[in-house]
Amino acid sequence: MRKFALLALLMTGACSMNPRLEVPAAPVPPTFAGAQDMEPPSAAAIGWREMFGDARLQRLIALGLENNRDLRVATLNVEAARSQFRVARGAQFPQLDANGSYTRQRTPSSTAAAGLGGALPGGVGAPAGFEFGQFTANAALTSFEIDLFGRLRSQSQAAFERYLGTEEGRRSARIALIASIADAYLNERLATEQLALTEHTLADWNSSLDIARRLREARQGSGLDVAQAEGQVRQAEADLAGGRRAVAEAGNALQLLVGAPLPADLPAPADLMAMDMLTHLPVGLSSDLLTNRPDIRQAERELRASNADVGAARAAFFPRISLTGLFGFTSLAFDKLFKGDNHNWSFTPSITQPIFNGGSLRGSLKLAEVRTSIAVAQYEQAIQVAFREVSDGIAGRETFGMQLASQRQALDAARKRVSLSTLRYKAGLDGRLDLLDAQRTEYAARQAMLNLRRQELSSAAGLYRALGGGDAAAEIEAAVSAGK
């Protein structure tokens, strides 16, 4: 019993060579420029179904969370890291193996005689040799390292931190997927609506071209009017071909993110101008990013793992104490294997002290220290990138509303100009060129209005991702359930 108590004490009494870890302060201002003083908590608490109210988009996100291959790989990476942690943790415990065997052996008479110190007499009755069987049963303790200096513990801690880091990576991939599907859906809606606008405009301009040709035949118009109208129609036809390509490419990108063919029973799409999506998101403080952004938490986990690697590299300079033990039974008869004095045992402690290794241990320690410095820089960079993304989102939140209002006024003015130019052209006060220019201006203003609205919604989705939104556990479960 005392031996087992001593063994348990040796197993649990390991010291740690890990350097003291000081997580660097966030290298960003404490608040975001443009954020309001009394804003509610960050949008990370808003579920993605609340953020994206469009029913069609909700269904697509749910399908993507279930079928997207990148997210599936991220989930499998978590399982791989968990298994790696189990391997590293298992090295801290004794490994016991049990085995049993049976051996049948024959020894020639000449060898047996030599073993007795002389030759057996020849002739009739001389033994032809010895033949026997042997049964063996053993339980072995194979090279158990007593982790006095914490090398195995540091390796286990590093594997555990990397496992937690991959879990954060999976959450980060999930959030990025939600935002990416939303952005791809917005691109698909923009391409579709711009194509519809081009088709409608082309129909109107074909009618105008037909009128110009009839006026020329009636000698009330010129060839210049016809040429201008034809040029306008051909440009619209070119836009139509490009629009069809954009719709196809946007649909392909959306299907890739979803990870499966888009179902035929999807809810009807909403117009961009009327799409249900939150665009004024609260951002909170910059310190909220440290707890809401999985990629920042992942970088911190990698920092902690690298710090543990330094501890393992330090411990490698100290002696390693290992134990190997064997306890078993050997008998010529199976029914007597566990009886009498047939047991055998061995106990082999060993100690290994590195003396000369060509500088490999110092090189390993230096490498671990450099990787820790790299992890510090990557952690700080992750914070700075997150701060920049949120700041960009705030800038969009504060300016897109005003820009849309101005663009809407510009579109109203363009429409009014087309109406007035049409009346003046019919009255003979303006030429055909003035009317065509007014029509092109209105067409460009309507295209710009749709594109600006898409940018506003895309900026809101990007801010939602930058704030770490969409990662609540209940929302995850609801998304998976809805996709089935």
Side-chain angles (χ1 to χ4, degrees):
M1 181 63 69
R2 292 180 179 178
K3 294 180 180 180
F4 287 110
L6 178 60
L7 181 61
L9 180 62
L10 291 174
M11 289 172 58
T12 58
C15 62
S16 175
M17 295 289 177
N18 295 354
R20 182 178 179 181
L21 176 63
E22 295 184 0
V23 179
V28 293
T31 58
F32 297 105
Q36 301 174 4
D37 294 336
M38 299 300 293
E39 279 198 347
S42 171
I46 299 175
W48 63 263
R49 290 183 180 277
E50 184 180 355
M51 172 67 188
F52 306 107
D54 183 81
R56 187 182 181 91
L57 177 55
Q58 288 184 353
R59 179 77 183 282
L60 292 173
I61 291 176
L63 289 171
L65 291 176
E66 184 179 7
N67 297 306
N68 182 267
R69 299 309 187 271
D70 288 337
L71 185 59
R72 189 173 300 176
V73 170
T75 302
L76 293 175
N77 284 337
V78 175
E79 297 299 323
R82 181 186 292 117
S83 299
Q84 187 63 40
F85 164 62
R86 290 174 178 172
V87 171
R89 188 168 181 266
Q92 297 180 263
F93 298 93
Q95 297 183 17
L96 296 176
D97 296 323
N99 64 79
S101 64
Y102 171 72
T103 304
R104 189 72 184 176
Q105 180 176 340
R106 181 184 184 277
T107 303
S109 57
S110 58
T111 303
L116 295 173
L120 292 175
V124 180
F130 297 94
E131 184 176 332
F132 63 93
Q134 179 175 288
F135 295 90
T136 303
N138 295 317
L141 173 68
T142 56
S143 298
F144 167 58
E145 181 178 341
I146 301 175
D147 195 25
L148 289 179
F149 300 100
R151 185 182 71 88
L152 297 179
R153 177 183 292 183
S154 295
Q155 289 180 344
S156 177
Q157 181 181 352
F160 180 65
E161 293 293 344
R162 289 192 170 96
Y163 156 58
L164 296 180
T166 56
E167 178 64 30
E168 297 294 351
R170 182 188 65 83
R171 295 192 181 101
S172 181
R174 181 183 294 271
I175 295 173
L177 175 61
I178 292 173
S180 296
I181 291 177
D183 195 57
Y185 176 69
L186 293 174
N187 287 334
E188 189 268 341
R189 295 313 311 150
L190 173 66
T192 301
E193 293 189 25
Q194 285 187 334
L195 177 61
L197 172 60
T198 301
E199 290 174 342
H200 178 74
T201 301
L202 179 59
D204 289 343
W205 289 357
N206 270 319
S207 298
S208 297
L209 175 59
D210 184 62
I211 294 174
R213 287 171 175 170
R214 291 182 179 181
L215 289 174
R216 182 187 177 187
E217 292 174 356
R219 300 184 182 274
Q220 295 182 7
S222 66
L224 179 61
D225 291 341
V226 174
Q228 291 171 345
E230 285 182 344
Q232 192 177 43
V233 168
R234 300 300 172 249
Q235 183 60 55
E237 289 176 343
D239 292 345
L240 184 65
R244 288 170 178 167
R245 181 176 63 252
V247 169
E249 291 175 349
N252 293 336
L254 181 59
Q255 182 169 299
L256 177 62
L257 287 171
V258 171
L262 303 185
D265 60 344
L266 288 173
D271 293 336
L272 273 176
M273 302 307 299
M275 187 170 292
D276 185 8
M277 184 184 300
L278 298 180
T279 56
H280 195 89
L281 295 170
V283 299
L285 301 175
S286 63
S287 58
D288 294 338
L289 293 177
L290 303 181
T291 56
N292 294 334
R293 290 265 303 213
D295 58 335
I296 294 179
R297 297 198 300 264
Q298 183 181 14
E300 182 180 350
R301 293 295 182 186
E302 181 58 35
L303 173 58
R304 296 183 182 277
S306 299
N307 189 70
D309 286 338
V310 174
R314 286 179 174 179
F317 285 88
F318 294 86
R320 297 185 187 181
I321 301 175
S322 301
L323 300 177
T324 300
L326 176 70
F327 180 82
F329 298 87
T330 303
S331 175
L332 299 179
F334 180 74
D335 58 347
K336 297 180 180 180
L337 180 61
F338 301 103
K339 297 180 181 179
D341 197 25
N342 292 330
H343 65 273
N344 58 77
W345 61 269
S346 67
F347 178 70
T348 309
S350 65
I351 183 170
T352 303
Q353 171 61 53
I355 297 178
F356 176 77
N357 48 57
S360 63
L361 290 181
R362 292 190 179 276
S364 297
L365 176 58
K366 182 63 177 178
L367 177 61
E369 291 173 343
V370 170
R371 285 177 173 171
T372 300
S373 299
I374 293 174
V376 170
Q378 290 175 335
Y379 173 72
E380 293 176 333
Q381 184 183 34
I383 296 176
Q384 290 175 335
V385 170
F387 187 88
R388 181 249 173 157
E389 291 176 348
V390 174
S391 298
D392 288 348
I394 294 174
R397 185 190 69 174
E398 300 301 319
T399 57
F400 271 116
M402 294 182 292
Q403 190 176 4
L404 276 168
S406 297
Q407 183 62 39
R408 188 174 287 108
Q409 293 175 355
L411 177 58
D412 291 340
R415 287 171 175 167
K416 185 176 181 180
R417 180 187 172 191
V418 169
S419 178
L420 294 176
S421 294
T422 301
L423 294 176
R424 291 178 63 85
Y425 174 71
K426 291 180 178 180
L429 299 177
D430 287 337
R432 180 74 182 177
L433 183 60
D434 292 329
L435 176 59
L436 294 180
D437 183 64
Q439 290 174 338
R440 282 194 294 265
T441 300
E442 182 199 16
Y443 175 60
R446 293 175 68 181
Q447 295 273 24
M449 188 69 185
L450 289 174
N451 189 57
L452 189 58
R453 173 59 173 171
R454 196 274 304 169
Q455 291 179 22
E456 179 192 32
L457 297 177
S458 181
S459 176
L463 179 59
Y464 184 66
R465 182 196 61 80
L467 294 171
D471 194 41
E475 293 295 330
I476 293 173
E477 295 300 327
V480 175
S481 299
K484 293 182 178 180

